[in-house]
Every structure is written in structure tokens, then in C-alpha cells.
Amino acid sequence: MKNKAPNKIIAPIIIAGITFGFLASAYKFIFAAQVKQQQVKEEEDVEEQWF
């Protein structure tokens, strides 16, 4: 009985999809952290203007 060769098209697509998903999640996490820091800084600036 002959063993089937692994599918040489589907495996790289799956690996690329997982990699892309991981990088997209990391980018969102980093971008969200930067936006939050900017919002906090803007709020502090506004509070300093009032006092």
C-alpha cells in the first residue's frame, strides 16, 4: 500500500493563515495600547488646562 504524500498546497496556506492571524492580533494589541496611552495623555492635558 502506497502512503499518500502530504498535500503540498493546503499545508502552506494553513500555515500562512495562522501566521497572518497571529501577526494581525499582535498588531491590534500594540495599536490599541498606543491609542489608549494617547487618550490618557490627552485627558491629562485637558485636566491640566482646567486647573
Side-chain angles (χ1 to χ4, degrees):
M1 185 174 230
K2 203 175 200 186
N3 288 340
K4 274 188 158 183
N7 193 330
K8 295 181 180 179
I9 296 174
I10 294 178
I13 292 172
I14 291 172
I15 292 169
I18 292 170
T19 303
F20 179 77
F22 175 76
L23 293 174
S25 296
Y27 177 78
K28 286 181 183 178
F29 176 77
I30 292 169
F31 183 72
Q34 288 177 350
V35 169
K36 188 173 183 177
Q37 287 176 353
Q38 184 178 4
Q39 288 174 346
V40 169
K41 185 178 180 197
E42 288 174 358
E43 289 174 2
E44 289 174 353
D45 291 344
V46 169
E47 288 176 2
E48 288 175 3
Q49 290 175 357
W50 284 98
F51 297 108

